[in-house]
Amino acid sequence: MTVTALRSSVITFHQDPFLVDPASSYRFLEDGLVVMADGKIVAVDPYSEAAVDAASGIVGVPLTVTHYPDSVICAGFIDCHVHYPQTQMIGAFGEQLLEWLNKYTFIAEQQFADKSHADTVSRVFLRELLRAGTTTAAVYCTVHPESVDALFEESERFNTRMIAGKVLMDRHAPDALLDTAERGYDESKALLEKWHGRGRQLYCITPRFAASSTDDQLAAAARLWKEHPGTYMQTHLAENTGEIDWVRDLFPQRSSYLDVYDHAGLTGPRAIFGHAVHMDDVDFACCHRTGSALAHCPTSNLFLGSGLFKMSEAKHIDRPVRVGIGSDIGAGTSFSTLHTLNEAYKVSQMAQGRLTAAHAFYLATRGGAEALYLQDSLGSVAPGYDADLVVLDLAATPLIAFRMGFARDILEKLFVLMTLGDDRAVRATYVAGLPVYDSARDDPFIYPTQAPEPECPSQRLDPSGVRA
Ligand code: GUN
Ligand code: ZN
């Protein structure tokens, strides 16, 4: 049995602060003890000698406690919308969505016909996620099945829970990136049968967006999704006004962009719609009614000039929609969820909203888990949950350390962290109870099979917190 115990401040969300009094949506422990055994959290209590003894009794072995002073532990971040093949083209200059796709994205994605290229980028991608404290993501691959194998193979090595799939496109892209409705169905089905539920991997049927799939392909995607309960469906929705006009021309019989997907059978639980910037009340009501989720991608929406997500309308108390946060690499500009939350705050300011730290950290953890219907196993630091955690450093930079001296409570500290923080604030990332990323190690990344026994000393072990 692998047992790990951590001592630090702990913050966790058990309710949606958009729907309840934010003060009652979370639990905060100033000095907490998190005990993990065999990949699960088994206890979360205020730290004390007695709590350590009690936890030792539960797991049946004496505990060694790794102490992270000046830190806060929260559930591993969840990125609800990201394109791993676009890691190589972050920061492509000057265009809005449709030009950007043609000029940069469709060029880069053609390289993923080569499995070794996909392997290389998958390695970089998973490490950037973990460096950012992200332990779960909904990931777009490319049209090539090899690109999916590469991503899941690397995720399997880290034992991360990834949700990913082959992009479906049967029109309006270079020939080298096109499949057909039938081929897309067959290849997705084969990948789904290979990967869905293998270890922690989950399959996501991925029609890129309405403009690049015919009616036939959308219908085939919906059929595959319905035939395999528990799988996911992800696509883009109402991101850019030029794109919306185009979709209206392509589907004149449909009442809205979302209606294209709804009519095709692509709304429902485990549907994840990226962006959803230009939505009206009917659209939000449809998402609420069908249980579909939205991925808010602020850095991307700003970078491509797409617009401002209407968070307060999405979370309207009368018909709240499940919303998570997405980096949308490579239109998004940072893997860091802290940085993404910083931009989400500014977008809310521009859209007459107010995203407190409680709302923001909820979105990045439990909100993402709810969007993905994984809230019973991910997104909270509580007994029974998967032990996917991030340890955030409250003194990560001289400025953050200085600023924290003037922060009066945990919410102020978290707000400073999301304003000033980035991957430098991620001290360690635990996946299924093991520190697969530790910024203090010479090689910060290790696969779980190589993970040191918890007794292994680290620069950050506090001798006073260590028990034999
Ligand atoms: N819409 C269709 N494809 C894409 C993509 O790759 N990125 C973004 N941001 N929007 C899209
Ligand atoms: Zn996207």
Side-chain angles (χ1 to χ4, degrees):
M1 178 163 55
T2 312
V3 180
T4 315
L6 311 179
R7 177 183 179 186
S8 181
S9 294
V10 179
I11 180 106
T12 182
F13 292 82
H14 45 263
Q15 281 183 289
D16 182 342
F18 290 95
L19 307 181
V20 302
D21 174 8
S24 63
S25 68
Y26 65 89
R27 179 185 188 208
F28 174 64
L29 299 175
E30 180 72 47
D31 186 9
L33 176 71
V34 180
V35 184
M36 306 173 277
D38 286 340
K40 299 275 182 199
I41 298 168
V42 295
V44 183
D45 295 299
Y47 179 83
S48 69
E49 296 283 312
V52 174
D53 288 341
S56 300
I58 295 172
V59 295
V61 289
L63 286 184
T64 300
V65 181
T66 302
H67 190 190
Y68 292 102
D70 276 337
S71 299
V72 59
I73 291 173
C74 70
F77 295 137
I78 297 176
D79 185 338
C80 289
H81 183 111
V82 56
H83 301 250
Y84 97 81
Q86 296 174 17
T87 305
Q88 67 191 67
M89 48 158 289
I90 300 170
F93 172 76
E95 307 295 350
Q96 292 219 349
L97 175 64
L98 299 177
E99 296 74 25
W100 175 86
L101 283 174
N102 286 319
K103 189 164 165 186
Y104 302 114
T105 316
F106 291 158
I107 309 298
E109 293 195 2
Q110 291 183 46
Q111 287 187 262
F112 289 73
D114 174 2
K115 174 71 168 26
S116 69
H117 182 74
D119 287 338
T120 302
V121 180
S122 295
R123 284 176 56 83
V124 173
F125 174 77
L126 256 298
R127 281 161 181 73
E128 288 309 307
L129 286 185
L130 294 169
R131 193 196 308 282
T134 300
T135 49
T136 285
V139 186
Y140 287 65
C141 303
T142 65
V143 73
H144 315 94
E146 300 86 340
S147 73
V148 181
D149 285 334
L151 189 274
F152 277 138
E153 283 164 11
E154 185 65 358
S155 175
E156 193 167 60
R157 284 190 275 274
F158 277 117
N159 197 25
T160 40
R161 187 178 280 294
M162 290 290 139
I163 301 170
K166 170 197 134 72
V167 161
L168 299 166
M169 285 198 280
D170 66 348
R171 61 173 169 174
H172 299 141
D175 286 349
L177 290 182
L178 294 182
D179 53 17
T180 63
E182 193 183 347
R183 195 171 129 208
Y185 175 95
D186 290 344
E187 289 181 347
S188 299
K189 185 168 191 289
L191 288 164
L192 184 161
E193 285 168 352
K194 179 174 179 184
W195 288 108
H196 185 68
R198 174 165 147 180
R200 303 187 78 198
Q201 314 313 317
L202 296 170
Y203 197 78
C204 192
I205 295 152
T206 306
R208 182 177 212 116
F209 68 149
S212 60
S213 287
T214 59
D215 279 317
D216 280 355
Q217 184 161 69
L218 295 177
R223 185 154 48 89
L224 185 61
W225 191 34
K226 294 290 171 304
E227 286 166 356
H228 296 87
T231 60
Y232 290 80
M233 193 293 303
Q234 63 185 347
T235 189
H236 295 84
L237 169 65
E239 175 178 0
N240 165 285
T241 52
E243 170 215 24
I244 293 168
D245 292 344
W246 191 26
V247 169
R248 190 180 301 115
D249 290 346
L250 292 170
F251 298 90
Q253 65 284 25
R254 301 273 59 94
S255 60
S256 71
Y257 196 151
L258 181 57
D259 187 46
V260 174
Y261 296 132
D262 195 39
H263 180 78
L266 291 171
T267 52
R270 296 185 186 75
I272 315 156
F273 293 106
H275 303 279
V277 170
H278 305 280
M279 300 272 283
D280 64 17
D281 203 56
V282 176
D283 296 325
F284 286 125
C286 173
C287 292
H288 170 78
R289 187 178 65 252
T290 58
S292 306
L294 303 178
H296 173 28
C297 307
T299 72
S300 167
N301 295 338
L302 296 173
F303 185 75
L304 291 183
S306 302
L308 306 174
F309 181 78
K310 294 175 257 184
M311 181 67 79
S312 47
E313 289 182 41
K315 298 301 280 185
H316 195 288
I317 193 93
D318 293 339
R319 41 135 194 75
V321 178
R322 292 169 190 250
V323 178
I325 285 284
S327 66
D328 193 31
I329 296 299
T333 50
S334 178
F335 275 93
S336 169
T337 292
L338 294 174
H339 184 77
T340 307
L341 296 179
N342 179 9
E343 299 302 291
Y345 172 76
K346 295 172 190 168
V347 166
S348 283
Q349 288 285 74
M350 294 295 292
Q352 275 77 49
R354 214 156 59 102
L355 195 71
T356 72
H359 294 89
F361 277 77
Y362 159 80
L363 286 171
T365 57
R366 188 174 173 90
E370 288 175 355
L372 303 176
Y373 286 80
L374 292 172
Q375 69 279 356
D376 294 334
S377 58
L378 290 186
S380 295
V381 189
Y385 277 75
D386 292 357
D388 291 352
L389 305 172
V390 55
V391 184
L392 297 169
D393 188 346
L394 295 171
T397 68
L399 177 59
I400 290 175
F402 175 74
R403 175 65 181 85
M404 287 301 173
F406 299 88
R408 289 162 302 181
D409 59 29
I410 184 60
L411 290 185
E412 282 194 18
K413 288 180 184 175
L414 292 177
F415 192 69
V416 169
L417 212 48
M418 68 187 243
T419 303
L420 297 177
D422 51 33
D423 56 296
R424 291 169 297 175
V426 175
R427 191 167 249 198
T429 305
Y430 284 74
V431 167
L434 294 171
V436 297
Y437 171 72
D438 182 334
S439 64
R441 281 195 302 252
D442 287 343
D443 180 359
F445 300 99
I446 47 171
Y447 295 130
T449 46
Q450 309 167 299
E453 286 302 305
E455 288 76 15
C456 187
S458 122
Q459 293 90 319
R460 295 215 169 95
L461 274 183
D462 172 0
S464 66
V466 177
R467 290 169 58 91

